[in-house]
Amino acid sequence: MRKLSGVGMVLALLLPAAIAGGEPVWNLVLAAEAVGGELLEIDRALLGASLALSETGIVGEEARRVLEELGGVGPWVVDCITIDLNGTILEVAPEEYRYVVGERIDDQEHIQELLATRRPAGLAYIISVEGIPAMDFASPVFDEDGRLMGAVTVLVNATELFGEALAPHQPEGHAKIWAMLPDGTIVYDVDGEQIGRNTFTDPLFAEFTELLEVARKVEVERSGTGKYEISGTVREVLWTTVDHQGREVRLLLSLDADEA
């Protein structure tokens, strides 16, 4: 097993001794680094697009070309748009989503935050105007005099983004790494039926009191460990946090106790 980084050593201290000595904790460290790397690439691409749109403007053929280039940041991109100060969509790429032009998205919390603070916003898990559950990332666009013109956003398929980042680091056996927002929304799981469910509100989880207790810890603690029984199997769980633009996503490692 490779030597753990500083972050890995902190995580290892949180684990029961039997887990800390094995590969799963290292897989979680690498998974967190992979997700953080993907989010950093989105940030860089959005910044580049924002600067380019400051010169081209946020509407017109040149703006669409900037959006098309932004869409190349990853295969999990759904679309890229520009919006004005009212939250109205002005341009979109690719062309297949042209029908969303003119829609207003100022009711979305992260867009309100961006327009109010003039700062980037991301990791917003939404049901998009395209009708799919996704994560949206947005950056403000300023004119040459420093006045806010609007914003540019990149919408990503969260299942594909996390799936690509986590796949190389998934442990063997029944262990798995999955992703959840602090509010209990599962944004990625190898079991696709779990994606989009909320641990606190979905009836599927209501009878599993130990699982709900762990979820409450995950809600308020950036990292930690827990244990719960589900369908007769005792599971160990460890989690850590990836930060992005003031928002958080938890990455969780769960495995059967007899694998620990």
Side-chain angles (χ1 to χ4, degrees):
M1 179 172 147
R2 294 166 60 185
K3 183 177 179 181
L4 293 178
S5 65
V7 173
M9 291 300 293
V10 171
L11 291 174
L13 290 173
L14 294 171
L15 285 166
I19 301 178
E23 286 292 333
V25 64
W26 181 243
N27 289 5
L28 183 60
V29 172
L30 293 179
E33 291 176 352
V35 170
E38 295 282 22
L39 299 182
L40 182 59
E41 285 303 309
I42 292 173
D43 263 358
R44 289 172 175 167
L46 267 175
L47 176 59
S50 176
L51 294 174
L53 289 165
S54 293
E55 298 182 2
T56 66
I58 55 178
V59 65
E61 185 176 345
E62 291 186 1
R64 288 195 296 275
R65 281 200 290 266
V66 173
L67 295 180
E68 289 168 359
E69 183 175 350
L70 175 60
V73 68
W76 21 257
V77 171
V78 177
D79 66 26
C80 305
I81 65 172
T82 57
I83 62 171
D84 64 16
L85 296 177
N86 294 317
T88 301
I89 299 175
L90 301 178
E91 295 291 355
V92 62
E95 185 67 21
E96 66 185 279
Y97 292 112
R98 189 73 186 166
Y99 64 87
V100 304
V101 170
E103 295 277 353
R104 289 188 62 168
I105 59 172
D106 55 320
D107 60 335
Q108 296 177 3
E109 182 181 349
H110 70 295
I111 296 299
Q112 295 172 353
E113 177 185 334
L114 181 148
L115 294 175
T117 65
R118 299 158 56 99
R119 297 177 61 86
L123 274 184
Y125 194 69
I126 62 172
I127 301 298
S128 70
V129 294
E130 295 85 353
I132 62 173
M135 276 189 163
D136 201 40
F137 301 81
S139 181
V141 179
F142 302 94
D143 67 17
E144 59 184 10
D145 295 319
R147 293 186 295 261
L148 183 66
M149 290 193 290
V152 54
T153 84
V154 56
L155 185 73
V156 309
N157 184 312
T159 301
E160 294 181 1
L161 172 67
F162 284 97
E164 178 183 280
L166 298 181
H169 313 298
Q170 289 290 355
E172 296 180 355
H174 295 103
K176 66 178 180 179
I177 297 173
W178 46 292
M180 186 172 77
L181 299 180
D183 70 2
T185 302
I186 299 169
V187 296
Y188 180 76
D189 195 299
V190 292
D191 176 4
E193 291 296 319
Q194 305 300 319
I195 297 173
R197 294 182 183 273
N198 187 288
T199 309
F200 298 120
T201 61
D202 196 300
L204 179 68
F205 305 112
E207 64 182 279
F208 302 111
T209 56
E210 291 180 343
L211 173 61
L212 291 173
E213 288 176 6
V214 172
R216 292 187 189 99
K217 288 181 62 179
V218 174
E219 180 183 18
V220 298
E221 297 178 11
R222 288 177 52 84
S223 60
T225 62
K227 182 184 294 187
Y228 60 91
E229 182 177 344
I230 188 168
S231 301
T233 301
V234 178
R235 306 220 85 194
E236 304 275 6
V237 62
L238 162 75
W239 67 93
T240 187
T241 296
V242 177
D243 297 284
H244 181 76
Q245 303 294 358
R247 295 174 183 256
E248 301 175 340
V249 61
R250 308 284 195 244
L251 293 184
L252 302 97
L253 165 68
S254 59
L255 68 168
D256 293 351
D258 59 8
E259 293 181 318

